[in-house]
Amino acid sequence: MILEMKVPSPGESITEVEIATWLVKDGDYVEKDETIAEVDSDKATLDLPAEASGIITLKAKEGDTVQVGQVVCLIDTDKIKPQQKEKIDDISKIEIEREDFKNIDTPESFQNKNIQSVSYATGTASPAAKKILEEKNISALSIQGTGKDGRITKEDALKAAPSLGSSNGNGSRSSTSIKLSVLRRKVSQRLVSVKNETAMLTTFNEVDMSEIFRIRSEYKDEFKNKHTVSLGFMSFFTLAVVRALKLFPDVNSMIDGDYKITYDFQDISIAVSGPKGLMVPVLRNAETMTFRGVEQNIKELAIKVREGKITIDEMTGGTFTITNGGVFGSMMSTPIINPPQSAILGMHNIVDRPVVKNKQIVISPMMYIALSYDHRIIDGKESVGFLVAVKEAVENPVELLMNNNIKKALEL
């Protein structure tokens, strides 16, 4: 029986995908549920498992855009798994090696081969050619001369085309062209649309991380031993964002045509870097989560992203995004809004800097934070107030995020 394998629907509103990589070759024997291809949608990369065992015939090429429901391969389920070929016996190996040995050049035969003559003229430009090359800003070292003994002629110089930038003859000048994945192309379109279709502004502030450092230093081992997950910075910032969104609901809103939609829940998108690029899985109802809940959910989602197992549903939605460029060493940046959301918080690296506390100069771990927002729906007052609220909660987490009970908040 010939089984037609069709592209399954990867999620609502997705009508086409791109064949990113075939993991099998035409004519291979595949096992049922074996991953035979990776397909890219505009939201994620998904695995395509074989629906039956048999010999596969590919009906689409890598890079092809195919519709959901389209046949991409055939599986002949009547074919049995071929046996592995027997090893070549030792005698056959010796005979093959002997035949190969006969083809090796002897010193005498090598000397009789034609060798291109090389002289002082090789690679030297004639006066006319030299002038032309100088006008074109082309190095003579990059040209193969066709004149006598390899001399560069006037015709060689006229035919020579300048490369991208001048070359001193050292190092590679090659380049490669790789088609962008459908996911990367879709991200590019979305980023450009955000810049063109929103009134995006960014406001900045800085936070003193001393109190978070103190809490983590004192409780991180106990927290990890009990919950098997680390107490990181993201739980503090996520809960600080949840608190700030409740205080400034316009930041938790979106524009839909002529209407503003404001949500009474906080679904926080967390930017995670994976093999296929930046993904933004969502913490659903983050307002109901504890420190442990945030850390465990972020860890699970991050693992799925890095293993390529994240689903469309796990990245759909989100009312606000947090991105942490600090893990890559960024000191300050302007994060781009994740549409259709109206704002995004950017975290950055932590640096010991001199600050004034109680009229004394002290060294504290400081972080710059940035809020990019859509000015069509969020005014300056709300954006600045929101960022100040995040700053207050991060600098005073015991009172504002833990209700003055650290052990209870950390479930220790």
Side-chain angles (χ1 to χ4, degrees):
M1 185 181 74
I2 303 298
L3 172 69
E4 293 184 339
M5 268 199 61
K6 301 178 180 180
V7 178
S9 175
E12 187 179 353
S13 79
I14 297 177
T15 60
E16 62 181 23
V17 298
E18 183 177 285
I19 304 297
T21 307
W22 280 111
L23 302 178
V24 296
K25 299 188 295 294
D26 201 43
D28 281 356
Y29 184 87
V30 298
E31 300 281 359
K32 183 180 180 181
D33 296 327
E34 174 187 351
T35 300
I36 59 175
E38 292 180 348
V39 296
D40 283 343
S41 73
D42 59 5
K43 294 181 180 178
T45 298
L46 307 170
D47 292 337
L48 185 65
E51 296 176 5
S53 299
I55 299 296
I56 191 167
T57 301
L58 307 184
K59 292 296 184 181
K61 299 178 182 178
E62 290 185 359
D64 283 357
T65 298
V66 294
Q67 300 296 314
V68 170
Q70 180 177 333
V71 176
V72 290
C73 66
L74 306 176
I75 299 179
D76 188 347
T77 59
D78 293 332
K79 299 290 185 180
I80 62 174
K81 187 174 183 179
Q83 299 295 321
Q84 293 183 346
K85 294 182 179 180
E86 296 182 0
K87 295 182 180 180
I88 301 175
D89 57 64
D90 293 340
I91 298 177
S92 298
K93 284 185 177 181
I94 294 173
E95 292 301 322
I96 292 172
E97 290 171 356
R98 284 176 177 173
E99 289 299 319
D100 290 341
F101 184 76
K102 292 178 182 180
N103 297 324
I104 298 177
D105 289 329
T106 63
E108 291 78 9
S109 64
F110 181 78
Q111 290 172 0
N112 292 330
K113 289 187 175 181
N114 293 326
I115 302 175
Q116 184 179 0
S117 60
V118 178
S119 72
Y120 73 92
T122 303
T124 302
S126 67
K130 183 178 180 181
K131 182 178 180 181
I132 295 171
L133 293 177
E134 288 176 348
E135 291 174 352
K136 290 185 174 183
N137 194 28
I138 299 176
S139 171
L141 297 174
S142 64
I143 299 175
Q144 182 70 43
T146 61
K148 184 179 179 181
D149 294 333
R151 183 184 291 274
I152 299 172
T153 66
K154 180 180 179 180
E155 288 71 22
D156 295 331
L158 290 172
K159 293 178 182 179
S163 61
L164 296 177
S166 60
S167 171
N168 60 5
N170 298 322
S172 172
R173 301 288 294 170
S174 63
S175 62
T176 57
S177 178
I178 302 174
K179 185 178 180 181
L180 295 175
S181 68
V182 65
L183 175 61
R184 177 61 66 181
R185 297 199 303 271
K186 186 65 177 180
V187 169
S188 300
Q189 294 171 5
R190 286 163 63 89
L191 294 180
V192 172
S193 69
V194 169
K195 297 289 288 185
N196 293 336
E197 298 173 9
T198 66
M200 195 180 85
L201 294 177
T202 305
T203 183
F204 299 90
N205 213 317
E206 63 177 357
V207 295
D208 187 338
M209 301 288 289
S210 298
E211 190 64 8
I212 291 181
F213 269 55
R214 182 189 68 81
I215 295 172
R216 292 182 69 245
S217 177
E218 186 173 350
Y219 296 99
K220 65 180 180 180
D221 291 338
E222 187 178 356
F223 186 88
K224 187 169 186 177
N225 289 335
K226 181 168 183 179
H227 303 306
T228 67
V229 67
S230 299
L231 177 61
F233 299 117
M234 288 304 301
S235 54
F236 289 91
F237 275 90
T238 299
L239 296 179
V241 162
V242 166
R243 172 180 177 272
L245 288 174
K246 292 178 180 179
L247 295 174
F248 298 92
D250 279 351
V251 183
N252 201 42
S253 302
M254 299 180 189
I255 288 181
D256 182 13
D258 294 332
Y259 294 86
K260 178 178 75 171
I261 302 174
T262 302
Y263 300 95
D264 60 359
F265 55 87
Q266 287 80 39
D267 283 355
I268 307 299
S269 303
I270 305 293
V272 178
S273 180
K276 297 292 183 178
L278 199 65
M279 306 288 185
V280 279
V282 182
L283 298 179
R284 306 290 181 192
N285 292 105
E287 75 279 3
T288 66
M289 293 183 182
T290 62
F291 282 85
R292 174 183 58 83
V294 171
E295 295 292 356
Q296 286 180 339
N297 277 276
I298 289 178
K299 180 181 178 180
E300 291 171 3
L301 291 171
I303 291 173
K304 288 184 177 181
V305 167
R306 287 160 189 154
E307 292 181 350
K309 297 180 180 179
I310 196 74
T311 66
I312 298 295
D313 290 340
E314 288 171 319
M315 294 191 295
T316 301
T319 62
F320 185 90
T321 295
I322 301 175
T323 180
N324 185 6
V327 296
F328 304 110
S330 172
M331 184 184 76
M332 185 178 289
S333 66
T334 302
I336 296 181
I337 298 170
N338 179 23
Q341 299 173 15
S342 297
I344 179 173
L345 178 73
M347 299 165 56
H348 300 92
N349 64 352
I350 302 169
V351 179
D352 286 337
R353 291 201 299 271
V355 295
V356 177
K357 292 183 180 180
N358 299 320
K359 297 183 178 182
Q360 299 290 326
I361 298 177
V362 297
I363 303 298
S364 294
M366 304 296 294
M367 174 195 289
Y368 289 119
I369 56 176
L371 178 74
S372 291
Y373 61 98
D374 189 347
H375 205 2
R376 297 176 303 165
I377 194 172
I378 302 171
D379 292 332
K381 178 182 178 182
E382 280 69 32
S383 64
V384 173
F386 174 90
L387 206 56
V388 169
V390 172
K391 172 183 171 69
E392 291 172 344
V394 171
E395 293 184 340
N396 189 10
V398 176
E399 178 184 350
L400 300 180
L401 301 179
M402 297 177 163
N403 197 26
N404 292 308
N405 192 328
I406 297 177
K407 280 188 167 290
K408 183 176 180 180
L410 299 180
E411 301 174 71
L412 299 177

